[in-house]
Amino acid sequence: MPLTRRRLLAGSAAIPFLGTVPGQAATPAEILTAQAALVQIAPPEYPKTGVWAYDDQVPGRTLRYRQGDMVDVRLMNGLDQPTTVHWHGLRLPNAMDGVPGMTQPPVAAGSSFDYRFEARDAGTFWYHPHSNSLEQVSRGLAGVLIIDEPDHPDVDADEVIVLDDWRMTEEAQIHDSFDNRHDLSHAGRLGNYITVNGRSEAVYDVESGQRLRLRLINTATARIFDLRVRGLRAWIVALDGMPLPAPVETTEVVIAPAQRVDLFVDVIAEAGEEAILGSVERDGTYALAGFRVSGSSAAARPAPVALPPNTLPEVRLDSARTVPLRMEGGAMRGLPDGAVWKGNRMDMRELAMMDQFWAFNGMAGMTDEPLVDAGLGETVRIPITNDTAFPHAMHLHGMHFREVRADGTFGPWRDTLLVNSGQTREIAFVAENPGSWMFHCHMLSHQMAGMMNWIRVT
Ligand code: C2O
Ligand code: CU
C-alpha cells in the first residue's frame, strides 16, 4: 500500500505530540467538514447535484487506519443545522458514538466536535450523521472507515464499493420529499438512481486469475440490494466488519441498508470475457461494477483462508435474559391498538398526524426507559418478530450480536440484521460496552417514523 500523508499521520500515533499546551487538544489528524457541495453524480449529460457532503466528496473520503491505531477526527459543521458523526459498527466508548442528546450534544452549525477512539476491530465500517438522519444521509453524508488487519491479506487489489440509492428530480437534484408519508409508512425512501462510489457504474481493470477483496457497503436509506457475480468466483470473508470463521463461497449476496459484506473474488473470466457485480432488479440484472479483464490467468489460487478474527465475547445462552421485540405498524397492517408516543397513548390516526407509523412493543419512537436495561457482561437474547408487511434492517450500536438460529446454533457476528415480513429472528449479544446504545431500524424513514429504541448497559 502506498504511504500517503494520511497513512503516515495515522501510523505515527505512537510518537508523542510536540508543542501541545496541556489541556488543549492537539489538532486531529483528520478533519471532516459537513457542508453543501456540487458533485457530478448523474451521467455527464446532467448537471451537477447539490448535495450535503463530507468535504466535497460523495461518498466522503475513505478513512483508513491500522488495527490498534487511534481514530482521531474533527467534525466541522458547515451545514445550517446540527449534525454529528456516528461510527457505524464500531465498538467504541459511548461518548464517541455520535447520537445527539444521548451520547453527546448536537454539533451546532458552525461548531466542531473531536472524535477520538481506538480502532479496536479490523474490518469494513462506515460513518454517517445521526441527526436528522434521513435527510442528512439521503443528501449524501456518508463515508467509509476501514481498519486494516495487522498483516495484509494476500489479494491483488482491495476495493471499496459503496452502493447508494438517490431520489432525484429530472434536473438531477435531490428530491426534498423527506417527510412523504407514503415512504414513512411503506418501504422507505427508495430512489430512482443507483450509484457505486458516487457514480453510475464502477469499472476496474483486472487480470484473469487475480484475487480481489471487494468491500461492499450499502449506504442507502431503504434499498436492499440483491447482488450476483458473473465471471468471478466469490467468497464472503466478513460481514459487518467481522470475519467469518471460514470463507463461504457464494454467487449471491443480499445486502440491506447499513450492512457490509467483504468478498474475496477470483477473476475466472478470461481476457475479453464479462466479469460483473450486478444488481437484480425487476426487469433484469444490471452491472454495478464491471471488471475489464486482460492478461492470461496465472496459476489458479488455492481457496482463500479466513481473515484473522476480532476478539469478541463468548455468548452464553444458558444464563441469558430474553427480551422479545415485536415490530408492528406500517401500511397494510397499521397499528390497530395504537401505540405510546412520548408518554401518551394514541390511536393510529393521532400517531399518523405526528408522522409515526411503526412501533416496537407498542411504543413508537424513543422512550424514557430503555427496551433492555442490561448489567455489564450480561447476555441478552432478543427474538425479533416482524409483524409488519415490510422488511426491516435492525441495527444495534456499540456491540455486535449473533443470530441464534432455530436449531440453537449461532449465525455470524453482525451489527445489522435483515428481518423479513412474518419472520422471527433471534439475536443474542453480550452487554460488554457500558452506555446508552440505540437499537433501531436502518431504513431511516422507519427509524424516523417510530422504529427506534435503546439499550442501556451499566
Ligand atoms: Cu448506522 Cu444508528 O446507525
Ligand atoms: Cu424498517
Side-chain angles (χ1 to χ4, degrees):
M1 162 172 320
L3 195 65
T4 63
R5 180 170 165 275
R6 186 163 76 244
R7 175 110 219 117
L8 195 61
L9 288 167
S12 64
I15 299 167
F17 290 111
L18 300 173
T20 309
V21 180
Q24 186 184 309
T27 306
E30 295 274 4
I31 296 176
L32 289 176
T33 305
Q35 59 187 17
L38 272 178
V39 178
Q40 189 71 46
I41 304 171
E45 58 273 26
Y46 287 89
K48 291 186 173 177
T49 302
V51 299
W52 294 354
Y54 292 111
D55 308 308
D56 47 10
Q57 292 181 34
V58 166
R61 72 176 182 279
T62 297
L63 304 177
R64 196 152 195 159
Y65 296 89
R66 210 171 258 273
Q67 190 169 21
D69 281 354
M70 289 305 280
V71 176
D72 189 9
V73 179
R74 173 167 299 167
L75 165 70
M76 312 261 282
N77 185 1
L79 303 172
D80 59 6
Q81 60 178 259
T83 191
T84 60
V85 174
H86 168 58
W87 307 93
H88 184 114
L90 281 100
R91 296 189 295 158
L92 41 58
N94 197 237
M96 297 289 110
D97 196 43
V99 180
M102 178 175 260
T103 68
Q104 66 166 95
V107 182
S111 50
S112 71
F113 188 88
D114 290 350
Y115 293 94
R116 198 172 145 79
F117 54 88
E118 189 195 339
R120 198 169 148 196
D121 297 315
T124 305
F125 303 96
W126 65 296
Y127 58 93
H128 63 79
H130 222 289
S131 174
N132 188 20
S133 312
L134 174 64
E135 178 169 7
Q136 293 192 8
V137 177
S138 296
R139 287 191 185 279
L141 288 165
V144 176
L145 173 66
I146 292 175
I147 300 174
D148 281 308
E149 298 81 14
D151 298 310
H152 285 293
D154 179 22
V155 290
D156 298 304
D158 181 340
E159 303 288 356
V160 169
I161 298 187
V162 177
L163 305 174
D164 205 350
D165 178 32
W166 305 77
R167 185 177 295 178
M168 304 268 225
T169 65
E170 282 171 34
E171 294 77 42
Q173 300 309 305
I174 294 178
H175 210 290
D176 61 2
S177 50
F178 300 103
D179 48 10
N180 174 325
R181 288 190 173 158
H182 182 274
D183 295 340
L184 295 179
S185 59
H186 289 72
R189 185 184 160 91
L190 294 169
N192 53 4
Y193 184 60
I194 289 169
T195 57
V196 183
N197 299 335
R199 316 296 305 208
S200 60
E201 190 188 347
V203 179
Y204 301 94
D205 287 309
V206 298
E207 283 172 28
S208 186
Q210 280 187 328
R211 175 167 292 166
L212 323 171
R213 179 179 190 166
L214 304 181
R215 301 173 186 263
L216 312 179
I217 301 123
N218 183 355
T219 65
T221 64
R223 184 175 296 277
I224 301 163
F225 289 94
D226 183 9
L227 305 171
R228 296 286 184 280
V229 294
R230 264 192 224 144
L232 304 168
R233 184 171 178 199
W235 293 264
I236 299 175
V237 292
L239 292 169
D240 294 348
M242 298 301 175
L244 300 187
V248 174
E249 189 170 356
T250 187
T251 56
E252 307 179 2
V253 176
V254 173
I255 184 167
Q259 291 185 327
R260 284 88 63 217
V261 178
D262 281 45
L263 297 177
F264 280 1
V265 300
D266 286 0
V267 180
I268 52 175
E270 296 294 330
E273 288 179 356
E274 181 186 63
I276 61 160
L277 175 72
S279 166
V280 180
E281 309 292 336
R282 232 165 258 183
D283 53 347
T285 300
Y286 291 90
L288 296 178
F291 300 85
R292 275 196 304 242
V293 184
S294 66
S296 61
S297 50
R301 282 171 172 265
V305 295
L307 294 169
N310 291 312
T311 307
L312 287 148
E314 196 190 341
V315 179
R316 305 186 127 273
L317 294 180
D318 42 358
S319 54
R321 176 152 57 114
T322 300
V323 181
L325 173 65
R326 179 166 170 257
M327 316 165 103
E328 55 176 343
M332 268 91 94
R333 308 273 169 92
L335 292 165
D337 302 323
V340 174
W341 183 67
K342 294 195 172 167
N344 300 310
R345 174 153 290 282
M346 295 183 171
D347 65 26
M348 208 159 87
R349 196 187 49 87
E350 293 167 315
L351 289 161
M353 281 169 37
M354 300 296 141
D355 284 342
Q356 298 298 298
F357 295 96
W358 310 89
F360 287 165
N361 293 351
M363 297 169 294
M366 288 300 275
T367 50
D368 290 341
E369 285 306 307
L371 179 75
V372 185
D373 217 337
L376 189 61
E378 189 181 6
T379 297
V380 179
R381 302 172 69 156
I382 307 181
I384 303 170
T385 300
N386 182 351
D387 275 341
T388 81
F390 296 89
H392 302 287
M394 285 300 295
H395 170 48
L396 175 62
H397 286 209
M399 290 160 286
H400 279 236
F401 53 77
R402 307 189 77 165
E403 184 171 358
V404 184
R405 301 199 187 98
D407 64 1
T409 60
F410 288 120
W413 289 97
R414 297 215 75 137
D415 62 50
T416 306
L417 181 73
L418 182 63
V419 185
N420 285 318
S421 175
Q423 282 185 333
T424 294
R425 295 182 66 179
E426 179 171 5
I427 62 168
F429 66 95
V430 179
E432 56 163 339
N433 203 353
S436 298
W437 304 104
M438 296 282 295
F439 184 44
H440 65 87
C441 178
H442 222 289
M443 274 84 168
L444 298 180
S445 305
H446 296 169
Q447 179 193 356
M448 175 171 153
M451 290 197 142
M452 57 173 152
N453 211 290
W454 60 295
I455 285 169
R456 182 165 50 208
V457 180
T458 46

